[in-house]
Every structure is written in C-alpha cells, then in structure tokens.
Amino acid sequence: MSMKTSTRQVDGVTIVDCSGRITLGEGSVILRDTVRELLSKGQKKILLNLGEVTYIDSSGIGELVSAFTTVRNQGGELKLLNLTKKVHDLLQITKLYTVFDVRDDEASAVKAFN
Amino acid sequence: MTELRVSYTLDSTLETVDSAEQTASRIAAESGFDEDVVMQISMAVREAAVNAVLHGNAYDPDKKVKLDFERTGNDLVITIRDQGKGLDPAKIPDPLAPENLLKTSGRGIFLIRSFMDEVQIRPTQTGTEIKLVKHVHGPAADVKEASQ
C-alpha cells in the first residue's frame, strides 16, 4: 500500500492523516509535497497523524526530520500523533523520539500548539 | 530449519528495493522468525538494497545488485553486492551524535546494525558487499544445542 494523506482543520491546526508506507520514493515525496503545500498556504501548525502508517524506512525518517526542520525554520510547529509501535520503536532507537513532540491524544495535541 | 540457498540478480531500481524487502520478509517468515524479527530483517535488507541501488550503483542501468539468501541450521545469511564505487563504513557519521540528529539521511547502516546480529561490509573487486546475519534462537537451534 502506498502512502496517502488527507488534511483537515481543527482550531487553526492542520491535521494530516497519513496512511500506508513512508519509504524511499513515492511515500517520502508525498509527505514532502504535502508539508510544502501547507506551508505555501500559510498553514504552519501541522499535526502529522501517523496512526495508519504501516511502515517507515530510513528515507521516511529523514523526511519526517526534514518536515520538522522546514516547518520550524518558517516559524511554525510540527508535532506527531498516534505513532504505531513500529514507528515509535524506530524513533526511539534513532534518538528522535525526544526531538519530536509526540502526542497520543488528538484534542490535547491540538491544544498544545501555541 | 530447512537449508536454503537462493540468488537474485536485480536491476538498479526502486522496484529492486521493494522486491528485496518482500523477498527477505517471506524467507524470514518461512524460517520461523517471529513477526518483529521478520520486520527487522526485511528492513535491514531494504536499507542495504537502498545503499546498493542509490549510493552504490547510482541507478546505473548497466550495473546490477546481487542478492543472496542462505539459510543454514543456525543462521539466516543475506548478502547484497553492488557494482558501485565503494563504501567506507568508517567514514559514515554517527547518526546518534547530537550534531547529526537532525540530518535527513545517514541512518541506513545504523538501522542495519541495530536489527541484525552480525554485519560485515567489505569492498570487492567490483563494488561493495554487505553480509547480514540473523541467528536462529527458536526451537530448531534449541534442539540442535540439546543434542550436542
């Protein structure tokens, strides 16, 4: 299953519901394009819902890091929501779990944006 | 565990990366590894295939990736060879170093080492070879150890 995203707005925060695989090639490109498009529209509070992401490779991890720094460099905020165990474990062993603001409840995650 | 030896010669494409991952997943599952370990093996193979296709062969249509699986009584051994310009593992920056944490690449070899029991990277006459080993800790190995 390839990567799919859909976006919705909740209290000024753009929630990106991601599903499928964030891997080298199409998956990473879709995530990159989605974040770039949001930023171009001035939507800088981004909550990536990874609850339906089944697989992520090192390229996908790199794309998450890229999204995080790109949004931050433009004065925005990017948080992660609903990590699966696989993605959680990958972020743990790569020491990125503490870099990202990781949430498991959508309502409180939305409130956590400044 | 039934012994097995199978080889694939693949093009330097993204399809090869997906194919290598899927084949590794299937063989690891057939070898009796549990679901988490199957995921680790398939991801390690995927990362090694990415290195071979992208960094080694640089998508060159004239260069091939050779993928070997060998299952013995105690190990699953996977070897990936490319025809690229070579990889010096000593020159790969530590992706866990604070100054590298926010880099967008450079985690592949680290993940491979995290997921496999043994990893050997060596230059060959035509490129780079990476050998990945996962030990069998399940019933097959136990029986063998008990009979010794």
Side-chain angles (χ1 to χ4, degrees):
Chain A
M1 179 185 174
S2 59
M3 163 85 161
K4 285 182 184 167
T5 61
S6 61
T7 61
R8 53 197 167 95
Q9 299 291 323
V10 178
D11 296 340
V13 173
T14 304
I15 301 176
V16 182
D17 295 307
C18 306
S19 61
R21 294 161 55 95
I22 309 177
T23 55
L24 179 72
E26 190 186 25
S28 291
V29 170
I30 288 171
L31 177 59
R32 190 183 317 157
D33 289 349
T34 301
V35 171
R36 279 184 185 167
E37 190 182 337
L38 292 174
L39 289 174
S40 73
K41 292 191 285 191
Q43 295 170 359
K44 296 181 179 178
K45 295 177 180 177
I46 300 173
L47 182 59
L48 285 185
N49 178 9
L50 303 180
E52 299 295 323
V53 170
T54 55
Y55 194 96
I56 186 166
D57 66 2
S58 68
S59 174
I61 294 171
E63 208 54 56
L64 287 180
V65 172
S66 176
F68 175 78
T69 55
T70 303
V71 172
R72 193 177 63 178
N73 290 343
Q74 295 201 23
E77 260 189 288
L78 181 141
K79 301 179 192 295
L80 305 182
L81 177 68
N82 292 335
L83 301 188
T84 61
K85 182 180 180 300
K86 289 170 192 167
V87 177
H88 174 278
D89 290 350
L90 275 176
L91 293 187
Q92 283 278 13
I93 63 172
T94 52
K95 288 195 175 177
L96 287 169
Y97 192 78
T98 52
V99 170
F100 290 104
D101 186 354
V102 179
R103 304 278 171 157
D104 56 12
D105 176 71
E106 183 177 306
S108 63
V110 169
K111 281 184 186 169
F113 281 86
N114 294 322
Chain B
M1 192 161 64
T2 311
E3 295 200 357
L4 167 93
R5 187 190 290 261
V6 58
S7 292
Y8 301 89
T9 300
L10 304 163
D11 293 330
S12 300
T13 62
L14 277 183
E15 287 72 27
T16 283
V17 173
D18 291 337
S19 169
E21 176 201 331
Q22 289 159 10
T23 305
S25 181
R26 176 177 55 79
I27 291 177
E30 289 170 0
S31 302
F33 291 103
D34 70 32
E35 189 182 344
D36 286 346
V37 178
V38 169
M39 171 65 81
Q40 291 177 348
I41 293 169
S42 66
M43 184 171 281
V45 171
R46 179 181 180 85
E47 297 295 341
V50 166
N51 280 345
V53 168
L54 266 73
H55 307 304
N57 292 352
Y59 293 115
D60 186 337
D62 294 329
K63 293 180 176 176
K64 301 293 181 187
V65 175
K66 195 155 183 294
L67 176 63
D68 295 342
F69 293 87
E70 186 178 3
R71 198 169 60 196
T72 65
N74 293 316
D75 293 325
L76 178 61
V77 181
I78 303 150
T79 309
I80 297 119
R81 297 181 190 87
D82 65 43
Q83 298 176 302
K85 61 183 188 296
L87 167 73
D88 183 354
K91 289 185 178 170
I92 299 170
D94 175 9
L96 302 187
E99 66 272 22
N100 295 330
L101 269 188
L102 288 180
K103 288 195 172 169
T104 57
S105 61
R107 295 180 179 86
I109 296 290
F110 168 78
L111 290 177
I112 292 169
R113 291 192 194 282
S114 300
F115 291 151
M116 301 303 289
D117 293 323
E118 294 176 36
V119 177
Q120 298 163 19
I121 302 171
R122 68 177 190 90
T124 66
Q125 288 187 335
T126 54
T128 300
E129 174 187 287
I130 179 164
K131 182 181 280 188
L132 316 175
V133 180
K134 198 72 176 177
H135 302 312
V136 178
H137 301 292
D142 293 341
V143 168
K144 188 171 184 182
E145 283 169 10
S147 66
Q148 287 175 342

